[in-house]
Amino acid sequence: MRIARSATMYGNARHLAPIQSINLSRSRFSTSVWRLAEERSSKDASQIKYVDRNIASYHRAITKFSDLPQNFGFNQHMPIDHELKDLLRSIVHKFNAPVTYAFGYGSGVFSQGKSASARGSQKPQIDLIFGVNHAQHWHDLNIKQFPDHYSFLSSFGSGVVTAVQNKMGAGVYFNPFVEINGVIIKYGVVNVDTLLKDLADWDTLYLAGRLHKPVKIIRDEPRVRFANQANLISVLRTALLLLPETFSEADLYKTIAGVSYRGDPRMRFGENPHKVSNIVENQFPNFRRLYSPLMDLLPNLTIASTDPVILTQDMDPIRRGNMVCRLPLSFRNKVYAQYVGSYRPISSSDKESITDEHYLAALNPGSAIGKAGMSQGGFKSVKGTDFDRHIASDPGLISALNHAIHNTVSVPSSVQSIKGILTSGIVKSFDYASEKLKKYYQGKAQVK
């Protein structure tokens, strides 16, 4: 049994070998669907450890694709129809302002099922995200080229547009319902540094969450590729912490796809209630392409059966504690904060002699060790401590994780939605809200 993978080469061809197929008979597990061909480099085989070791320094250390291991992040690139791929590239090329990183997402790029097809011959809006290095300069150039893309805010100049982008919500500025090359698009502009921080630390999960699902990368960037690989590993670990000992492959992907929607107020009213299921069911091969290379490298995950694929995970608190301490920085700190009061160090009742640095960092965030722990890579070790094992063993861990997700997502998402009225204008905001409500009611009517 083989799971086919495209042989297309992505990104910098010199550093990405052709993607191989998965050979089930040559797996680490006799029935595994995850093992990649043995020809992959040894560096690639340890890329999870590579990410964990370098997450604190990648921003400075990585400047070009050759700084990354061979094949690193190849799983992020999704094959799509050549005509659509050329269209997406031509749209990005239309912009005179320099775009450093770009990807397309949503139903305009990937099918999301019946609610999308219900539109008949009407093609959905294509959603794009542009990562830029200097937002104010970018908007200055773009306002001159496409003044009609902007709301009244552009009359106050690129400085005001950039301030609204950076200081409200998740740091993204959207221009919806604009026509480029004969198609309707919505594009969001974000500083690359803002994008990198969300991917690595989960500050808002606004863009990191979008990249948990398959997207079409149109223009790649080496630091973003690294940070997004860390993002994918993080959501895989989070999903495993949310799931029971035994679960299906589909359950895993639905948990992953749903992480950033937990706590998002739009999911209560304004989004198709079946959105997560529709995304996974219609993009199942792409989810497998995105996550199977990473799943193959996790020592705590095994295959119980293959038709359908059923997975089991090791519930040992030591291994799960390791996953807890390797969660993204901002998100991990929110989880830690919920357990400071309930944890009792086993070493001593004397706070002066407690040596668990993860607990001490959460207990005293203003102290030297607390400040170190509140920075990415600040801890001496990426292995879990007794504090992490206490968290991993807690029966209420799922509730704590959901609470941390809600606290991460809800405010930035809500403010971002309100900001849309300013950035899009009243007419476009009304059109966008109407489209969302239409999807919502179509989803409500969808046969379960």
Side-chain angles (χ1 to χ4, degrees):
M1 178 180 178
R2 299 174 70 89
I3 297 177
R5 292 179 181 275
S6 168
T8 306
M9 299 180 70
Y10 301 103
N12 187 317
R14 191 166 65 87
H15 299 285
L16 283 178
I19 294 172
Q20 307 293 333
S21 64
I22 297 177
N23 188 337
L24 303 187
S25 64
R26 303 173 68 182
S27 165
R28 169 164 61 92
F29 312 110
S30 59
T31 58
S32 173
V33 297
W34 315 123
R35 174 63 74 187
L36 295 181
E38 293 172 2
E39 290 81 359
R40 285 173 54 188
S41 87
S42 60
K43 287 184 179 179
D44 184 59
S46 60
Q47 65 175 272
I48 290 182
K49 292 181 180 178
Y50 171 80
V51 168
D52 288 338
R53 286 195 307 265
N54 292 282
I55 189 65
S57 60
Y58 80 94
H59 197 282
R60 300 181 302 275
I62 297 172
T63 60
K64 52 189 182 299
F65 286 106
S66 59
D67 291 329
L68 296 169
Q70 187 179 21
N71 292 326
F72 185 87
F74 77 91
N75 53 305
Q76 299 175 26
H77 288 267
M78 298 293 126
I80 61 171
D81 176 81
H82 286 292
E83 184 177 345
L84 178 57
K85 181 170 66 175
D86 290 342
L87 174 62
L88 294 177
R89 287 176 175 173
S90 70
I91 290 172
V92 176
H93 288 154
K94 273 287 186 179
F95 289 81
N96 294 335
V99 175
T100 301
Y101 180 82
F103 68 86
Y105 66 98
S107 59
V109 179
F110 300 103
S111 171
Q112 291 183 10
K114 292 180 180 179
S115 63
S117 62
R119 282 181 292 259
S121 60
Q122 181 184 355
K123 293 183 178 180
Q125 176 178 250
I126 292 177
D127 297 322
L128 302 168
I129 293 292
F130 296 160
V132 305
N133 287 329
H134 306 286
Q136 183 168 348
H137 176 63
W138 197 94
H139 285 298
D140 186 57
L141 295 175
N142 202 51
I143 290 170
K144 292 175 182 176
Q145 183 183 9
F146 298 118
D148 55 317
H149 289 190
Y150 289 81
S151 69
F152 70 94
L153 285 178
S154 64
S155 62
F156 298 104
S158 59
V160 170
V161 169
T162 305
V164 170
Q165 173 184 317
N166 292 336
K167 295 180 180 180
M168 295 181 65
V172 188
Y173 190 102
F174 282 105
N175 284 326
F177 296 111
V178 301
E179 184 174 339
I180 298 284
N181 288 354
V183 296
I184 303 301
I185 71 167
K186 177 185 74 175
Y187 63 94
V189 182
V190 61
N191 278 306
V192 169
D193 286 344
T194 302
L195 172 60
L196 291 173
K197 198 164 189 321
D198 196 36
L199 293 173
D201 296 349
W202 285 14
D203 279 356
T204 67
L205 271 173
Y206 193 82
L207 292 178
R210 277 169 170 74
L211 286 160
H212 291 164
K213 279 79 74 176
V215 304
K216 180 55 187 175
I217 297 173
I218 307 164
R219 187 168 293 174
D220 208 349
E221 200 271 352
R223 293 174 303 159
V224 179
R225 185 185 293 181
F226 177 94
N228 192 36
Q229 200 74 342
N231 178 45
L232 299 176
I233 294 168
S234 294
V235 76
L236 180 55
R237 286 169 171 159
T238 302
L240 292 176
L241 291 171
L242 287 165
L243 286 165
E245 183 175 3
T246 301
F247 50 90
S248 71
E249 183 185 8
D251 289 337
L252 175 63
Y253 297 153
K254 287 178 182 179
T255 303
I256 287 171
V259 162
S260 64
Y261 292 127
R262 300 182 184 215
D264 189 337
R266 295 174 301 173
M267 291 304 293
R268 298 176 190 171
F269 192 77
E271 285 284 5
N272 184 341
H274 303 289
K275 184 171 185 174
V276 171
S277 294
N278 288 343
I279 290 172
V280 173
E281 289 168 6
N282 288 280
Q283 299 183 49
F284 198 91
N286 285 336
F287 272 93
R288 178 174 278 176
R289 180 187 185 91
L290 190 60
Y291 288 103
S292 64
L294 303 177
M295 294 162 68
D296 188 44
L297 303 177
L298 290 176
N300 56 326
L301 195 59
T302 57
I303 304 290
S305 63
T306 58
D307 191 17
V309 175
I310 302 297
L311 304 166
T312 60
Q313 61 171 318
D314 188 344
M315 303 298 281
D316 178 12
I318 294 177
R319 284 186 164 172
R320 289 173 70 78
N322 289 339
M323 289 198 294
V324 169
C325 83
R326 294 166 186 168
L327 291 172
L329 176 66
S330 296
F331 183 71
R332 185 191 68 204
N333 291 340
K334 291 183 178 72
V335 175
Y336 276 4
Q338 298 178 66
Y339 286 91
V340 171
S342 64
Y343 177 67
R344 295 293 178 267
I346 59 174
S347 56
S348 172
S349 59
D350 181 6
K351 291 184 179 181
E352 295 299 324
S353 60
I354 296 172
T355 58
D356 190 321
E357 65 171 354
H358 296 185
Y359 170 67
L360 290 174
L363 182 65
N364 302 299
S367 65
I369 192 170
K371 291 177 180 178
M374 298 297 145
S375 62
Q376 192 63 267
F379 291 135
K380 296 176 182 177
S381 173
V382 293
K383 290 186 177 181
T385 65
D386 186 67
F387 182 50
D388 298 297
R389 292 188 285 275
H390 165 75
I391 295 172
S393 303
D394 178 32
L397 176 59
I398 293 175
S399 177
L401 290 171
N402 282 329
H403 183 73
I405 293 169
H406 181 274
N407 285 350
T408 301
V409 172
S410 59
V411 173
S413 180
S414 299
V415 175
Q416 191 70 42
S417 297
I418 295 170
K419 184 170 75 173
I421 299 173
L422 294 175
T423 61
S424 305
I426 295 176
V427 174
K428 287 185 178 180
S429 295
F430 178 81
D431 290 343
Y432 183 73
S434 298
E435 182 68 19
K436 285 292 183 182
L437 287 174
K438 182 179 178 182
K439 290 181 181 180
Y440 174 78
Y441 286 115
Q442 286 174 346
K444 291 284 284 186
Q446 183 178 326
V447 179
K448 295 185 179 180

